[in-house]
Amino acid sequence: MPVQEYNVGGGVWRLKWHPNDATQLLVGAMYNGFHVLDVGEKVACSASFMDHTSIAYGADWCQSQKPDSEDMLVGTCSFYDHVVHVWRNPKT
């Protein structure tokens, strides 16, 4: 039985925990973009990135940033169109 669940609206292909914040989970949701989930007592989506035009495939956090940065740099890629996007996830 799951402890918590959250529907991201697409098949989940990639999960990546934030390197410095255990409450932040980056999710690649195949046909529904990328989402950052806040995992606490409840799960909530704090940010989404929907600019990929193909399957949301790979994702990772930039691990060279200072933990107190105003926002976190995220890299994502899509499958069929071979595109990489680098974007900022604002801290909530």
Side-chain angles (χ1 to χ4, degrees), residues 6-74:
Y6 187 89
N7 185 341
V8 292
V12 175
W13 186 263
R14 183 76 62 219
L15 296 174
K16 200 72 174 182
W17 288 102
H18 189 285
N20 303 317
D21 184 349
T23 67
Q24 298 284 296
L25 180 62
L26 178 58
V27 179
M30 292 179 68
Y31 292 104
N32 197 36
F34 293 91
H35 308 279
V36 177
L37 302 183
D38 289 323
V39 181
E41 287 185 27
K42 292 187 176 185
V43 180
C45 184
S46 64
S48 295
F49 186 80
M50 307 298 283
D51 289 357
H52 286 282
T53 59
S54 180
I55 295 173
Y57 189 73
D60 205 349
W61 302 91
C62 177
Q63 296 186 27
S64 64
Q65 287 186 246
K66 295 177 183 176
D68 59 348
S69 294
E70 289 297 314
D71 50 21
M72 293 302 296
L73 198 60
V74 176

